[in-house]
Amino acid sequence: MGLMKRLVGYIGRKLVEAVGILVGVVTVTFFLNFVLPGDPARLLAGQRADAVTVAAIRQQLGLDQPLPVQYVRFLGRLLRGDLGRSYVVNRPVLEIIFERFPATALLTVSSMLIATVLGILLGVVAALRPHSWLDTLLMAGALVGISVPSFVAGLLVLLLFGVKLQWFPLAGYIDQGWSALVLPMVTLALRPLSIIARMTRSSMLEVLGQEYIRTAQAKGLPPARVILRHALRNALNPVLTTVSAWFAGLLAGAFFVEYIFNWPGIGTVAIGAIEKLDYPLIQGTVLFTAVVFVLVNLVVDVLYAVVDPRVQLQ
């Protein structure tokens, strides 16, 4: 009973933290919009529009009101589940986001699946041959994968496999064939794959040095059984923590990769909204991705607490 009470308290604290983070994101996102150079009313009216027309558009959009008034109105709309309408396309922001989210989810899930499977595999291979040339080569490659930013990796992958070798389409979506998914998926998977590989290697080396592993080997158990059932199973806890954190991060932050490959996800919409000073769409995409990020991490934290409350609630 006491453990259940602590578990409920832990979940309650996490919910309070999540709400606090989202309030902070809402506030920062709203006021940062007004730091961006340019006037959305002028962009909508056109460069040749007179001052009266621009002023009328500002009044229509509510941009002529003081910032505190605009902020309170913005919060009121959020509480009603209304993210406003796009200045540019005059459509509900939430409708645009829901229309584009499946593409972002597809790219993220496929990238994370590739990163997890290959990362764990390469990490195990490196751990079984510590300090060998193979281990050195794999970890050096992982270090490069961690160090190279996603937008740089995307441009390099695009240039090599799309322009020079012409193996895959330069941009597009799966309605043009599944090959359009390969380049953005590989680009987005590169950094988490590298981190998961290094984490798996480190965790495996620690587990392989434990007494129970040596006992299992002394009993004459098959090496594959020792590695998969005893070593890898116990080494996966920190790896799974890394996977869950990166999944949330990729789902909320694939912006540049989507933009480079013209992938029709939320990231492409967000960058286009910034270019056109579409305040409601900027606020909506940032807030939506923040909510996704917080919710995924919240679910992971709660699942860890349910699976092993003694560890999480200490």
Side-chain angles (χ1 to χ4, degrees):
M1 191 66 179
L3 189 59
M4 180 60 67
K5 184 177 180 180
R6 290 167 60 196
L7 179 60
V8 172
Y10 172 81
I11 295 174
R13 289 195 303 273
K14 287 295 180 181
L15 286 173
V16 172
E17 291 175 7
V19 171
I21 292 172
L22 292 178
V23 170
V25 170
V26 168
T27 304
V28 171
T29 303
F30 177 83
F31 286 103
L32 277 181
N33 278 331
F34 297 93
V35 179
L36 296 174
D39 182 358
R42 169 62 65 181
L43 289 176
L44 290 174
Q47 295 301 318
R48 297 184 179 181
D50 55 35
V52 175
T53 302
V54 174
I57 293 177
R58 288 182 60 83
Q59 183 179 14
Q60 180 183 357
L61 298 177
L63 297 175
D64 59 330
Q65 299 294 321
L67 282 184
V69 175
Q70 295 186 48
Y71 179 63
V72 171
R73 290 180 176 178
F74 176 60
L75 291 181
R77 291 197 304 269
L78 285 183
L79 292 177
R80 299 193 302 269
D82 181 11
L83 294 178
R85 298 182 72 88
S86 167
Y87 291 165
V88 178
V89 298
N90 194 30
R91 291 177 57 198
V93 169
L94 203 56
E95 180 182 298
I96 297 173
I97 291 174
F98 284 156
E99 183 181 275
R100 296 298 189 99
F101 181 68
T104 296
L106 173 64
L107 177 60
T108 301
V109 171
S110 59
S111 298
M112 205 63 232
L113 182 62
I114 294 295
T116 302
V117 173
L118 290 182
I120 292 176
L121 177 61
L122 295 178
V124 170
V125 170
L128 295 178
R129 299 289 186 271
H131 311 299
S132 65
W133 67 268
L134 181 59
D135 177 32
T136 303
L137 179 63
L138 290 176
M139 290 304 102
L143 184 60
V144 172
I146 295 171
S147 304
V148 177
S150 295
F151 64 90
V152 175
L155 293 175
L156 293 175
V157 167
L158 193 64
L159 179 63
L160 177 59
F161 295 103
V163 177
K164 295 293 185 182
L165 299 177
Q166 298 183 358
W167 288 356
F168 302 100
L170 297 178
Y173 190 45
I174 55 173
D175 54 5
Q176 302 175 11
W178 285 93
S179 59
L181 176 64
V182 175
L183 295 186
M185 178 181 65
V186 170
T187 301
L188 196 60
L190 183 60
R191 292 194 72 193
L193 188 157
S194 303
I195 292 175
I196 291 170
R198 292 181 66 88
M199 178 67 71
T200 302
R201 176 188 182 275
S202 176
S203 185
M204 280 289 293
L205 287 176
E206 182 178 349
V207 170
L208 289 172
Q210 298 296 319
E211 185 65 33
Y212 67 88
I213 296 296
R214 290 193 289 268
T215 301
Q217 292 171 335
K219 289 181 178 179
L221 294 178
R225 183 177 179 183
V226 174
I227 293 169
L228 296 177
R229 184 171 180 179
H230 296 277
L232 182 59
R233 184 177 181 181
N234 290 285
L236 281 182
N237 277 343
V239 176
L240 293 179
T241 303
T242 302
V243 169
S244 62
W246 267 98
F247 177 72
L250 290 187
L251 194 60
F255 286 18
F256 289 110
V257 174
E258 289 185 358
Y259 187 72
I260 290 171
F261 292 97
N262 195 29
W263 189 260
I266 293 177
T268 303
V269 172
I271 294 178
I274 293 172
E275 292 175 344
K276 298 174 182 176
L277 293 182
D278 193 343
Y279 289 170
L281 195 52
I282 296 172
Q283 294 164 348
T285 52
V286 172
L287 182 58
F288 182 81
T289 52
V291 168
V292 170
F293 183 86
V294 170
L295 287 180
V296 170
N297 280 286
L298 178 63
V299 170
V300 170
D301 287 341
V302 171
L303 288 177
Y304 280 147
V306 172
V307 171
D308 194 352
R310 295 170 300 175
V311 174
Q312 287 292 329
L313 304 181
Q314 285 179 352

